[in-house]
Amino acid sequence: MASVPPSQAASAPAAIRPYAESRPRAARTMWGDAWRRFRRHRLAMAGATVFLVLSAATVIGPVVYRVGINTIDFHASMAPPSAAHPFGTNDLGQDMLARVLYGGRLSIAVGITAMLMSVTVGTLMGAMAGFFGRTTDLLLMRVTDVFLSLPSLPLLLLVIYLYRDTLARLFGPQFGIFWLIVVVIGGLNWMPTARLVRAGFLAVKEKEFIEAARSLGVGTLSQIFRHILPNVLSPVIVSATLSVGSAIIAESTLSFLGLGFPPDTPTWGRLLYDSQNYLDMAPHMALFPGLMICLAVLSVNYVGDGLRDALDPRRLP
Amino acid sequence: MTGYIARRLLASIPTLVLISVVVFGILALAPGDPLGQFAANPDVPPEVRMNIRHQLGLDQPIPVRYVKWATAFIHGDWGYSFSSRVPVDRLILQRLPTDLWVVGSSYLVAVALAIPIGVLSAVKQYSIFDQVATTFAFIGFSLPTFFTGLLFIIVFSVRLRWLPFIYNVQVTDPLGMVKQAVMPVGVLALFNSASLMRYVRSSMLDHVGQDYVRTARAKGVVQRKVVVRHVLRNSLIPVVTLLALGLPAVFVGAVITEQIFRVPGIGSLLIASIQNSDTPVVMAITFVYAILVVLFNIVADVLYGFLDPRIRYG
C-alpha cells in the first residue's frame, strides 16, 4: 500500500494540496492537442469548413435542387446567371448549377478515393521497406525510384486513352472509368508517402519501446501496425490531405484535355473543356466550374497546411 | 567528380530500360489496334491489312518487338509517324524551338519573380509584404493552369481585347511574337514562381538564424551585404538544384497550357498523337520526357556537389 489513503489525503492542510481542489481535467491526448492547435489555425478551419460545405452541397445538392443535368432548352441557351438558373446555362441550355453540383460529386469522390489508394499503397510499400530493410528495402526503393522517374502526366493520358473504352465496356461507362482514373492517379502518386513512411519506420524501429515489444513476443504485423505505424502517421496525414487536392487537379486535367469521363458526365474539368469555345459569349460557363475546382483545392491545401502545424510535436501549444 | 558522373549515368541505364519496358508494355498490351484507322476503312481488304501488319512487324511477339524498337531507338531511328509519314525525330525537332521559347522564357520569368519576392518575404518575415506574398503564392500554387489560362483569355482577350488567344507560328514581327507569348508564358510563370517562391523563402529562413549570419552582423557587415552575400548565396544551393529537378516537370506540365493557347509545342504534339493513336510519336515523346527526368536528377545532384563544397563524392 504505497499510495496515500483518501481519508488521509483529505485531512492534509489545504495549502499543500492545491490540485485536490481544482476541477478534474480530461486527460490531454496527442490528438486532442493537435485538434486544439488546428482549431487555432484560422485559415485551416476556414478551409475545412469550405471543403465540408462543398462536399455536402455536391452530395445533398442534386437531391434538393431538382433540375435535370441533361434537360435541354434551346430557348435559354447560354443564358447568364439569373433567378431561374443561378449559375446560368450552357450552349444547350442545360442548367449549370445542376451540372456543377453533380460533377462535383465525381470530382471530389475521385480526389478522395485516389488519395486513399495512394496512401494505402505508399504506406504498405514504405512500411515493408523500412521494417524489413536489406534486400526488401533495396528492391522496393528501386521500384519507387523508377516510378518517380516516370513522366506521370503523359502516362496518365496514355493509359486512360488506351484503356478507357475496354473498361467502359466491361464495367459500365461511369463505374469503369471512375476506377481506371482512380487507380491510375493513385498508382502514380504513392511514392512520396512511401518515402515518408520508410523514413519514419527506419527512425522508430530502433527505439527502445519497439525492442521491448519485440522481446515481449509481439508479432511482426502487430509491431508494424500497432506500434510503429501510429508514430509515423503525422506526415502521412499531411501528405494525404494535400494529395486530395492534387488528385482533384489531375482528374480535372484529364477531363479538360477530353480524356476523362465520357462527354455526358459533367465533371468540373469536363465543364471547363466544354466552355472553351464559348468564352466570349458565356464566360460564366468557365467561371463557375473553375471557381469550384479552385475552392476545393485551395481549401484542402489550407487544411493540409494547418494539419502540418497541428501535428508537429515540436510546436508545443 | 567525373567518376561520379560516369557512375550515375551508368546506374541510370537500368532505370531507363525499366521505364521503356513499362511504356512499351502499356502501349503493346492496350486493347485496340494501332491500325484502327485501316480497320475502320472498308476499302482496305484483309490481305492488305495483314501485309501492313507484317511489314510493321506487328505479328511478332511483344518481347521481340520491344528489342527491335529499343535497338532502333538507340541507333537514332525513332520510326515514322503513322499520321503524317514524317520521321518522329524530325517532328519533335520541328516543335522544339516553340517549346524552348515559350517554356524557357516562362521559367526565366518565374525565377526572376520568385527569388526577389522570396528573399524579401523571408527577410521581413510576418510583415504585411510577407503575408500578401505567401498568400498569393499559396493561391498560385493551388490554381490549376487550365483555369488561370481560361481566366486570362476571358480578361485579356475577350474583355480587354489586348492579346490574341491563339498562338500562331506564322507571326514573325517581334511585337506580335511577344504579344501572343504573354499569356502562355504568364500562366506557366505564375504557377512555377509560386512554388519556387515558397522554397526560396523557407530556404532563406533556414539560414537567417545561423551562427555565421550572427558573426557577419557582429563584424559590422551591413544588412544588405549580409542578406545578399551570406544568406542568399547559401540558401540558393537547394534552390538551384530544385530548378534543375523541376525543369523536366515544367516541360511536361506545359502540355496543358499549350493545349489551351494552341501553342504548337511538343506537349500539343503528344496530345494530338495520343488522340490519333500515333504510337511511334507517343512512345518517343514519353520516353524523351523520362530521359529528361532521369538526366536532370543527375544534373541536380552534380550541381549540389559543385555548389556545396561540404559534399564530396567518393
Side-chain angles (χ1 to χ4, degrees):
Chain A
M1 268 306 197
S3 61
V4 184
S7 58
Q8 215 173 313
S11 64
I16 60 161
R17 48 179 186 99
Y19 294 112
E21 260 151 314
S22 65
R23 256 183 314 127
R25 269 198 335 197
R28 287 179 63 162
T29 59
M30 184 206 147
W31 297 111
D33 278 351
W35 168 237
R36 210 164 297 124
R37 281 195 294 264
F38 183 76
R39 251 186 343 204
R40 223 171 293 147
H41 199 301
R42 265 178 299 153
L43 282 167
M45 280 305 280
T49 319
V50 169
F51 191 71
L52 285 179
V53 168
L54 262 183
S55 314
T58 56
V59 172
I60 306 165
V63 182
V64 180
Y65 185 73
R66 291 186 159 281
V67 178
I69 55 162
N70 288 322
T71 317
I72 294 174
D73 176 10
F74 284 112
H75 295 293
S77 172
M78 286 190 269
S82 64
H85 301 288
F87 281 9
T89 59
N90 68 1
D91 51 318
L92 299 173
Q94 295 163 329
D95 185 74
M96 283 300 286
L97 176 58
R99 290 174 80 78
V100 165
L101 286 176
Y102 182 85
R105 226 186 238 192
L106 274 174
S107 297
I108 292 177
V110 167
I112 291 174
T113 330
M115 173 274 281
L116 288 177
M117 158 107 194
S118 65
V119 167
T120 315
V121 176
T123 308
L124 285 178
M125 294 288 264
M128 285 202 298
F131 189 81
F132 296 112
R134 297 166 194 274
T135 328
T136 322
D137 185 24
L138 211 69
L139 209 72
L140 290 181
M141 280 304 109
R142 203 76 200 118
V143 173
T144 313
D145 283 345
V146 170
F147 266 86
L148 276 172
S149 324
L150 286 175
S152 62
L153 185 61
L155 267 191
L156 207 62
L157 297 174
L158 197 61
V159 174
I160 306 267
Y161 178 75
L162 291 175
Y163 291 87
R164 68 173 170 175
D165 293 335
T166 318
L167 279 160
R169 223 179 21 250
L170 286 178
F171 304 105
Q174 277 198 8
F175 190 74
I177 291 176
F178 178 85
W179 283 106
L180 176 65
I181 290 180
V182 164
V183 167
V184 178
I185 295 179
L188 289 171
N189 272 328
W190 54 268
M191 296 80 77
T193 315
R195 288 196 156 176
L196 283 174
V197 173
R198 173 179 174 267
F201 263 69
L202 286 180
V204 173
K205 80 169 177 186
E206 302 301 332
K207 294 269 164 71
E208 286 85 352
F209 70 91
I210 298 302
E211 209 181 316
R214 203 173 314 152
S215 49
L216 282 171
V218 174
T220 310
L221 280 181
S222 181
Q223 273 182 50
I224 294 179
F225 290 107
R226 257 192 91 87
H227 295 271
I228 308 184
L229 192 60
N231 288 295
V232 302
L233 220 50
S234 310
V236 176
I237 293 175
V238 174
S239 91
T241 317
L242 296 176
S243 77
V244 173
S246 55
I248 291 180
I249 290 193
E251 185 277 318
S252 307
T253 307
L254 286 174
S255 303
F256 180 76
L257 296 173
L259 285 168
F261 284 94
D264 52 337
T265 313
T267 65
W268 287 338
R270 181 77 210 185
L271 291 173
L272 276 180
Y273 173 79
D274 292 337
S275 76
Q276 275 185 102
N277 296 328
Y278 306 102
L279 287 178
D280 46 348
M281 283 175 288
H284 63 267
M285 273 173 67
L287 287 179
F288 288 111
L291 272 177
M292 289 298 141
I293 299 177
C294 297
L295 268 183
V297 175
L298 202 59
S299 60
V300 167
N301 283 355
Y302 269 121
V303 172
D305 213 37
L307 282 175
R308 196 199 315 272
D309 292 350
L311 292 171
D312 191 349
R314 279 168 303 178
R315 277 173 185 252
L316 291 173
Chain B
M1 187 68 112
T2 329
Y4 174 76
I5 297 175
R7 251 184 300 128
R8 282 297 303 268
L9 284 174
L10 276 179
S12 70
I13 291 174
T15 315
L16 284 174
V17 170
L18 270 176
I19 293 173
S20 69
V21 169
V22 170
V23 179
F24 194 89
I26 290 173
L27 279 166
L29 295 174
D33 199 329
L35 301 174
Q37 296 137 303
F38 292 109
N41 189 346
D43 293 339
V44 180
E47 314 82 85
V48 175
R49 211 181 301 150
M50 284 313 290
N51 240 335
I52 298 175
R53 286 183 71 86
H54 182 71
Q55 264 181 3
L56 291 171
L58 284 172
D59 47 358
Q60 284 162 326
I62 293 172
V64 175
R65 274 154 60 191
Y66 172 73
V67 172
K68 281 192 166 170
W69 172 83
T71 23
F73 192 90
I74 293 167
H75 287 116
D77 175 12
W78 294 8
Y80 285 83
S81 155
F82 282 169
S83 54
S84 56
R85 319 263 170 233
V86 175
V88 174
D89 45 347
R90 183 138 37 99
L91 210 57
I92 294 178
L93 283 179
Q94 257 173 16
R95 304 290 190 112
L96 197 61
T98 320
D99 236 19
L100 284 178
W101 154 241
V102 172
V103 179
S105 51
S106 82
Y107 213 37
L108 287 181
V109 174
V111 174
L113 278 175
I115 291 180
I117 296 178
V119 169
L120 264 181
S121 216
V123 172
K124 298 184 192 298
Q125 198 189 4
Y126 301 130
S127 67
I128 292 179
F129 177 84
D130 178 34
Q131 276 165 5
V132 172
T134 40
T135 310
F136 267 99
F138 206 89
I139 295 174
F141 176 75
S142 305
L143 291 193
T145 46
F146 49 85
F147 184 55
T148 33
L150 292 184
L151 265 187
F152 273 33
I153 291 182
I154 291 177
V155 173
F156 296 110
S157 299
V158 176
R159 295 283 137 157
L160 298 171
R161 298 191 179 285
W162 286 351
L163 302 166
F165 60 87
I166 287 183
Y167 195 94
N168 182 358
V169 248
Q170 256 82 53
V171 175
T172 43
D173 71 302
L175 184 70
M177 274 176 75
V178 169
K179 257 178 127 177
Q180 66 182 1
V182 166
M183 284 201 294
V185 169
V187 166
L188 285 172
L190 265 186
F191 184 75
N192 292 317
S193 70
S195 54
L196 262 181
M197 178 258 162
R198 283 156 61 92
Y199 278 110
V200 175
R201 179 174 178 274
S202 71
S203 177
M204 286 287 287
L205 286 178
D206 280 346
H207 285 272
V208 254
Q210 298 220 343
D211 291 344
Y212 70 82
V213 179
R214 192 172 350 113
T215 310
R217 287 233 170 79
K219 280 194 307 187
V221 179
V222 289
Q223 169 74 2
R224 216 190 135 72
K225 264 193 181 170
V226 172
V227 170
V228 175
R229 285 248 182 102
H230 296 262
V231 186
L232 181 62
R233 276 179 90 169
N234 282 302
S235 358
L236 279 187
I237 295 173
V239 174
V240 169
T241 56
L242 205 85
L243 282 177
L245 270 183
L247 201 60
V250 172
F251 272 93
V252 179
V255 170
I256 304 151
T257 315
E258 286 178 10
Q259 195 67 8
I260 300 172
F261 297 103
R262 313 273 196 280
V263 180
I266 294 174
S268 48
L269 176 66
L270 175 71
I271 300 216
S273 310
I274 289 181
Q275 281 165 348
N276 292 333
S277 306
D278 199 342
T279 319
V281 185
V282 174
M283 184 72 207
I285 296 180
T286 316
F287 197 54
V288 166
Y289 279 146
I291 294 176
L292 280 181
V293 173
V294 173
L295 199 68
F296 275 92
N297 261 320
I298 301 175
V299 170
D301 281 355
V302 171
L303 262 180
Y304 204 100
F306 186 70
L307 292 172
D308 191 340
R310 284 169 301 184
I311 292 183
R312 280 274 155 262
Y313 300 117

